[in-house]
Amino acid sequence: MKRCIIKADDYGFTEAISLGILKAYRDGIVRSTAVMVNMPAASASLEWIKEVPGLCLGLHINIVVGRPAADPSVVPGLIDEQGIFHSSKFCRAALAAGQDPVVSKDQALAEVEAQIRRFIALTGRLPEYLEGHAIRSRNLLEAMAELAKRYDLPHLSYLENQDHKLIQRPQRANAIYSLYEQGVEPADYFLQNHSGIADLPLSLVTLHPGYLDRSIYRMSSFTEVRIKDLEAATSPQVKTWFAQQEIELISFRDITKY
């Protein structure tokens, strides 16, 4: 039987996003989610997740929205004059110009470790996997890989030979968002196999399901696609399609080396 991990990013971004992700687990195909512990909604969101122990909970390292978990004096290159992280737009512009927006690996290490420690403080346990939010800075990727090993956390890296504590490496599915721009209906991402997962023995699909509130409109341009992802994740037809294709829905727990 083929197997697939459907993960929902951005848990704790806002309360509305978190509630949407919980629905995508309870009524849909999501089996893993990762929390942004530096966001104000993280504490309440982590209280809610206690009601769903079957949902695998990772840490979504975020350095592009909100305030740092580390002391600002330790990560001056990651923040602006108001003490707020540089935006993903700022970081992507730097990457496009051939520059790493994370100017110091030491600062990346400090912030990633601070977020790991905040996760532990909020939940009383280690994350079930470690991943990053929005950008692929070399310094950030190296910092996450190093700290995944230090804390012995499952980690699927974008860097070669830097995965940690995984029995198997899932293959990433085709991205959904360019298809939305072409007019593809949310459920058809799966039903028409635009994802490609029907042909993969072990796959990973990244979704961003969620409800919308004023907070997310203030902090992100990634808005209406979240409603579409929620529709795809909770579609009865999609759940039936997984059964017909004999694709087992699993989480990061099922590929972790214990």
Side-chain angles (χ1 to χ4, degrees):
M1 177 176 278
K2 297 180 285 289
R3 299 188 299 164
C4 180
I5 297 171
I6 311 284
K7 71 181 180 76
D9 286 0
D10 298 353
Y11 193 76
F13 199 160
T14 71
E15 291 189 1
I17 296 298
S18 297
L19 290 169
I21 289 171
L22 291 173
K23 180 175 178 61
Y25 167 71
R26 289 185 172 117
D27 299 340
I29 59 175
V30 165
R31 296 294 179 269
S32 299
T33 191
V35 62
M36 302 164 73
V37 292
N38 72 310
M39 301 304 292
S43 293
S45 298
L46 288 169
E47 284 298 311
W48 300 333
I49 214 163
K50 293 176 181 177
E51 302 172 6
V52 287
L55 180 57
C56 178
L57 180 64
L59 173 58
H60 202 53
I61 296 295
N62 162 40
I63 62 161
V64 296
V65 62
R67 296 182 180 275
D71 187 313
S73 66
V74 180
V75 291
L78 303 183
I79 57 177
D80 62 19
E81 57 274 12
Q82 281 80 45
I84 304 294
F85 281 132
H86 296 301
S87 68
S88 57
K89 182 179 180 180
F90 172 94
C91 293
R92 290 193 182 103
L95 288 168
Q99 303 168 351
D100 194 326
V102 179
V103 296
S104 161
K105 182 181 172 181
D106 286 341
Q107 291 186 38
L109 284 165
E111 180 58 27
V112 173
E113 185 159 29
Q115 292 191 25
I116 293 172
R117 289 180 174 177
R118 183 170 291 182
F119 182 103
I120 295 168
L122 288 169
T123 66
R125 60 187 171 101
L126 288 168
E128 295 185 86
Y129 63 100
L130 182 71
E131 64 176 15
H133 174 73
I135 64 165
R136 297 183 193 170
S137 147
R138 180 82 189 189
N139 282 331
L140 179 61
L141 293 175
E142 289 183 356
M144 288 196 300
E146 182 174 326
L147 286 162
K149 293 179 176 67
R150 186 183 304 174
Y151 283 84
D152 200 26
L153 303 175
H155 177 53
L156 179 65
S157 180
Y158 282 100
L159 301 176
E160 189 174 359
N161 299 320
Q162 292 299 314
D163 293 353
H164 184 67
K165 207 177 181 181
L166 299 179
I167 298 170
Q168 293 176 274
R169 190 176 215 277
Q171 187 170 339
R172 298 179 192 272
N174 299 325
I176 195 170
Y177 303 108
S178 61
L179 296 169
Y180 286 159
E181 294 172 1
Q182 298 168 29
V184 172
E185 287 297 311
D188 284 342
Y189 171 70
F190 295 104
L191 301 179
Q192 302 300 322
N193 198 33
H194 292 298
S195 65
I197 64 174
D199 308 310
L200 301 174
L202 177 61
S203 57
L204 173 67
V205 175
T206 298
L207 298 177
H208 295 79
Y211 297 116
L212 303 180
D213 54 16
R214 293 184 65 190
S215 296
I216 198 67
Y217 280 100
R218 286 194 294 267
M219 293 186 289
S220 177
S221 59
F222 213 59
T223 51
E224 278 77 9
V225 295
R226 298 179 186 272
I227 294 293
K228 293 180 178 179
D229 276 8
L230 182 58
E231 180 181 327
T234 56
S235 162
Q237 290 80 15
V238 167
K239 289 191 284 186
T240 299
W241 180 85
F242 271 88
Q244 291 172 339
Q245 296 294 319
E246 297 186 332
I247 302 174
E248 181 185 6
L249 291 168
I250 65 171
S251 75
F252 274 94
R253 292 172 183 168
D254 299 291
I255 61 167
T256 294
K257 186 184 298 181
Y258 293 101

